């Protein structure tokens, strides 16, 4: 990177197999094309999450663009990442707002207040990490078997204490709980008729077939492609054969191409804030993992940027919640695109963010999203929530968590049941349940059991 705060991208050729570093860029036409690809990669999840919570998808897309730009400036353009709607908020937002699963969320303001509180906690964690990282320490010299002094090893204090607080057995269990806790939403609330249930099955089968048999970009966009395929089947069966509620495109035809989205104001209710704020812990673990992945791919030590990355994500979440958007997080989908293309230029994410801003100001785009049939969204939700649950198990596998140790076994077992069963603890008028109980329970239980000898 250059000595300037923001990168001065060096132009490189666009030959096949070229590895493009964060402070480099392809010619602008190719950079723009890559930006479009990153928008496509984040699109399905960033739109799906707000729909599942009753949020305005236009606002979510708009704030994903603004959040990505904020992240870019706060990290000095040194961390290639896109910020999209976080699924970690779905369970607690539904619980805090009492959302039924269909239509706009009537208690949206209460959820927004909680999202802002979560962003504030995340921001404070980022400030603490940034301050701690300024005080990088060196391990004491160690003498080897031959009496020779081993070279001092520099350590990142912030990364060390975060990993001690949230080791893989904890983060894996919490991530798995997010998906399992949401399992009843699509099955109980998004299939009111028998026909709708069958359409959910058609939808997750479509996604599965595309995931296995498609190739190239179609396979990378398995959720979006499966949603389109299932919607076409739904249209044939309902609009064509009259078997269910037909798709109504009247609102889509009437919507203007460009217009100001409808913003919402937050309402700060203590119970909702206390319920949603703990999601910050999940976002910290998620962002830490993503930063490590990007650092490994680019061959650069991004640990010194950890505090700024947390601050950028926290600020973006607060700004999004302030106007009616979802909480945001760095996106694994876009990290996957980087891994496939070996193009890590942060210029691409500036382009992607600007494209998202344009989409956010298109009511016709919002009307198109709202026209998606409810059972199709339900089928997609089954896949997405299942993938989240499996992602938690993948954390265990990738980090080789040893379940022969009773400490790990008990932490994982109790956390899964607390979250899936919606175990609730009441403190006067305040109730902590589901994902919140599981998150705090996993951290505290691990800390308690770690005091014992293995």
């Amino acid at each position: 990177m250059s000595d300037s705060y923001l990168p001065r991208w060096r132009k490189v050729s666009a030959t096949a197999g070229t590895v493009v570093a964060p402070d480099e860029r392809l010619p602008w036409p190719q950079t723009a094309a890559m930006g479009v690809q990153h928008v496509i990669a984040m699109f399905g999840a960033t739109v799906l999450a707000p729909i599942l919570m009753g949020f305005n998808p236009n606002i979510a897309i708009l704030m994903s663009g603004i959040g990505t730009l904020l992240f870019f400036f706060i990290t000095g353009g040194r961390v290639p990442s896109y910020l999209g709607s976080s699924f970690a908020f779905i369970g607690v937002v539904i619980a805090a707002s009492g959302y039924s699963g269909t239509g706009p969320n009537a208690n949206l303001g209460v959820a927004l207040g909680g999202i802002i509180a979560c962003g504030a906690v995340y921001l404070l964690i980022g400030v603490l990490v940034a301050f701690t990282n300024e005080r990088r320490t060196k391990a004491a010299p160690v003498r080897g078997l031959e009496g020779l002094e081993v070279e001092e090893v520099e350590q990142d204090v912030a990364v060390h204490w975060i990993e001690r607080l949230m080791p893989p057995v904890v983060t894996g269990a919490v991530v798995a709980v997010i998906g399992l806790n949401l399992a009843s939403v699509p099955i109980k609330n998004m299939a009111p008729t028998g026909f709708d249930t069958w359409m959910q099955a058609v939808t997750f089968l479509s996604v599965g077939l595309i995931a296995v048999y498609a190739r190239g970009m179609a396979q990378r966009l398995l959720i979006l492609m499966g949603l389109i395929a299932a919607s076409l089947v739904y249209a044939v069966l309902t609009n064509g054969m009259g078997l269910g509620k037909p798709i109504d495109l009247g609102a889509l035809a009437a919507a203007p191409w460009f217009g100001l989205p409808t913003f919402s104001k937050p309402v700060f209710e203590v119970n909702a804030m206390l319920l949603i704020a703990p999601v910050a812990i999940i976002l910290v673990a998620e962002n830490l993992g993503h930063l490590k992945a990007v650092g490994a791919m680019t061959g650069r030590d991004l640990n010194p940027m950890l505090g700024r990355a947390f601050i950028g994500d926290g600020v973006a979440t607060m700004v999004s919640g302030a106007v009616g958007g979802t909480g945001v997080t760095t996106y694994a989908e876009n990290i996957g695109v980087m891994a496939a293309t070996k193009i890590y230029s942060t210029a691409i994410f500036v382009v992607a963010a600007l494209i998202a801003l344009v989409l956010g100001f298109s009511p016709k785009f919002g009307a198109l999203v709202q026209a998606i049939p409810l059972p199709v969204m339900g089928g997609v939700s089954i896949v997405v929530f299942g993938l989240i649950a499996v992602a938690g198990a993948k954390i265990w596998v990738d980090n080789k968590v040893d379940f022969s140790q009773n400490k790990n076994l008990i932490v994982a077992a109790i956390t899964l049941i607390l979250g899936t069963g919606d175990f609730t603890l009441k403190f006067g008028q305040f109730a902590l349940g589901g994902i919140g109980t599981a998150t705090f329970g996993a951290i505290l239980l691990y800390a308690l059991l770690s005091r014992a000898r293995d």
Side-chain angles (χ1 to χ4, degrees):
M1 285 289 181
S2 64
D3 293 332
S4 62
Y5 181 74
L6 293 177
R8 297 173 181 174
W9 298 296
R10 297 188 303 273
K11 181 180 176 182
V12 296
S13 63
T15 56
T18 299
V19 176
V20 183
D23 56 347
E24 297 175 337
R25 68 167 177 84
L26 297 172
W28 284 115
Q30 286 87 349
T31 295
M34 285 299 304
V36 171
Q37 180 171 259
H38 276 283
V39 169
I40 294 173
M42 68 84 184
F43 179 86
T46 296
V47 170
L48 177 61
I51 293 176
L52 296 179
M53 294 183 284
F55 284 50
N56 185 329
N58 272 71
I59 299 291
I61 287 289
L62 174 65
M63 297 315 296
S64 77
I66 292 176
T68 299
L69 291 177
L70 287 171
F71 184 88
F72 171 82
F73 285 111
I74 291 173
T75 59
R78 286 163 168 74
V79 182
S81 286
Y82 191 92
L83 268 60
S85 303
S86 172
F87 281 78
F89 287 91
I90 296 176
V92 289
V93 163
I94 290 175
S97 62
Y99 181 57
S100 64
T102 59
N105 192 324
N107 294 319
L108 179 62
V110 171
L112 297 178
I115 289 173
I116 293 175
C118 177
V121 172
Y122 198 3
L123 171 62
L124 291 175
I125 294 174
V127 171
L128 177 60
V129 169
F131 174 75
T132 308
N133 259 2
E134 291 296 325
R135 304 176 61 185
R136 296 169 66 135
T137 63
K138 290 185 177 181
V142 178
R143 292 189 177 275
L145 294 176
E146 303 298 326
L148 299 176
E149 205 170 70
V150 178
E151 183 180 355
E152 291 183 334
V153 179
E154 195 174 53
Q155 295 180 328
D156 286 286
V157 178
V159 176
H160 179 67
W161 69 258
I162 289 175
E163 290 181 337
R164 281 182 62 87
L165 183 68
M166 294 177 291
V169 65
V170 170
T171 54
V174 171
V175 171
V177 158
I178 295 173
L180 296 174
N181 181 265
L182 297 169
S184 64
V185 174
I187 295 174
K188 301 296 183 182
N189 300 331
M190 303 179 76
T193 69
F195 172 77
D196 291 337
T197 303
W198 279 105
M199 278 309 308
Q200 284 189 336
V202 169
T203 302
F204 61 67
L205 180 60
S206 298
V207 174
L209 291 173
I210 291 171
V212 174
Y213 293 107
R215 293 292 180 269
M217 201 60 189
Q219 188 180 56
R220 295 204 60 82
L221 299 176
L222 70 162
I223 298 294
L224 180 61
M225 298 301 293
L227 185 149
I228 293 173
S231 294
L232 292 175
V233 173
Y234 184 93
V236 171
L237 295 177
T238 58
N239 296 67
M241 303 174 63
L243 295 180
K245 182 181 179 181
I247 298 176
D248 183 6
L249 299 179
L252 174 62
W257 282 102
F258 295 101
L260 193 67
T262 303
F263 297 105
S264 300
K265 294 182 180 180
V267 175
F268 296 98
E269 186 177 285
V270 175
N271 282 3
M273 292 167 66
L274 292 175
L275 182 61
I276 298 175
V279 172
I281 297 172
I282 302 171
L283 299 181
V284 164
E286 191 172 48
N287 203 338
L288 174 62
H290 289 172
L291 200 75
K292 284 188 173 183
V294 173
M297 288 190 297
T298 59
R300 299 191 176 190
D301 179 16
L302 294 179
N303 282 341
M305 301 303 300
L306 188 61
R308 287 192 189 182
F310 290 171
I311 292 171
D313 204 349
V315 170
T317 292
M318 293 176 69
V319 172
S320 179
V323 298
T326 63
V328 296
T329 186
T330 51
Y331 252 32
E333 290 89 336
N334 297 88
I335 293 174
V337 172
M338 286 192 288
T341 61
K342 293 181 172 55
I343 299 174
Y344 312 109
S345 172
T346 55
I348 291 172
F349 294 98
V350 174
V351 172
L354 295 175
I355 294 173
L357 293 182
V358 174
L359 289 176
F361 285 105
S362 175
K364 192 170 288 291
F365 162 73
L368 175 62
V369 173
Q370 295 292 346
I372 299 173
L374 179 64
V376 172
M377 289 304 305
V380 168
S381 300
I382 291 173
V383 177
V384 171
F385 297 160
L387 289 174
I388 294 173
V390 172
K394 187 175 184 296
I395 291 175
W396 292 335
V397 173
D398 291 345
N399 291 276
K400 299 179 180 179
V401 175
D402 184 5
F403 283 108
S404 67
Q405 294 185 16
N406 286 341
K407 172 180 65 178
N408 293 334
L409 191 64
I410 292 298
V411 168
I414 293 177
T415 301
L416 291 177
I417 298 303
L418 290 181
T420 306
D422 199 22
F423 183 83
T424 302
L425 292 173
K426 294 185 177 181
F427 307 90
Q429 297 297 317
F430 171 68
L432 181 68
I435 296 174
T437 305
T439 301
F440 281 119
I443 293 173
L444 295 175
L445 190 59
Y446 183 85
L448 176 64
L449 298 181
S450 293
R451 291 179 175 274
R453 293 180 180 179
D454 291 328

